Amino acid sequence: MTDAHTVLIVDDNQTNRVLLARSLANAGYRTLEAANGAEALEVARTHRPSIILLDVQMPEMDGFEACAELK
């Protein structure tokens, strides 16, 4: 079951995550955050967000790898 209007923000840069989460929260969205691809997979499987904003360049598991796993 998908949470309505939930956005998962995935970025290794905490400042980017905080700024984006604040903007989305002000627009009425519920936000979830992950600092890397592996964490994003866990959060996505548990919470089933409506959409995922995924940084491409991250250490360990990059955005392309995470996207492939999510598919």
Side-chain angles (χ1 to χ4, degrees):
M1 178 184 222
T2 303
D3 293 336
H5 308 292
T6 301
V7 180
L8 172 55
I9 302 164
V10 186
D11 197 318
D12 58 321
N13 183 308
Q14 183 180 9
T15 302
N16 291 346
R17 290 193 318 269
V18 169
L19 290 173
L20 192 49
R22 234 181 251 155
S23 289
L24 289 168
N26 288 338
Y29 293 91
R30 177 176 176 243
T31 60
L32 303 167
E33 296 181 32
N36 58 56
E39 188 178 325
L41 295 177
E42 287 182 39
V43 173
R45 287 182 181 127
T46 302
H47 298 283
R48 309 273 301 168
S50 303
I51 192 166
I52 301 172
L53 300 178
L54 184 61
D55 184 16
V56 174
Q57 295 182 329
M58 294 182 290
E60 298 174 35
M61 178 185 286
D62 68 26
F64 293 115
E65 293 172 296
C67 187
E69 286 291 323
L70 287 164
K71 287 181 179 183

